[in-house]
Amino acid sequence: MSGRIPPEAFQFYLGLGPDRSYQRVADQFGFSKRAVTKLAMRARWQERVENLEHKAREGAEQKALESLE
């Protein structure tokens, strides 16, 4: 383990879906869970995921409304 956790770690975390975990990110990128957790807290991963999921739901609802019209 050397260097910094790459920025694409968040995208990997987001892509894990409902089964996402910091441990899986740590395993994928070769860092400790503690290092990933510290980064996630600083970068507000949980908040970002919630915002993105909310936007995705809104987009899906909008498409559903358009198809009903």
Side-chain angles (χ1 to χ4, degrees):
M1 173 174 75
S2 65
R4 295 178 164 239
I5 299 170
E8 59 268 15
F10 174 73
Q11 292 300 322
F12 178 79
Y13 176 73
L14 179 63
L16 291 173
D19 297 327
R20 66 180 60 94
S21 73
Y22 296 149
Q23 184 62 60
R24 291 185 64 191
V25 175
D27 293 344
Q28 174 71 22
F29 291 93
F31 288 86
S32 69
K33 179 181 175 185
R34 180 180 173 113
V36 172
T37 300
K38 287 173 87 174
L39 170 64
M41 294 302 178
R42 279 194 317 272
R44 304 176 90 153
W45 283 11
Q46 292 292 331
E47 184 178 324
R48 291 170 62 191
V49 166
E50 289 173 12
N51 288 337
L52 291 168
E53 288 177 341
H54 179 74
K55 288 179 184 177
R57 279 191 304 276
E58 285 180 341
E61 288 173 2
Q62 183 63 36
K63 285 182 182 179
L65 286 173
E66 290 171 2
S67 70
L68 290 174
E69 292 177 344

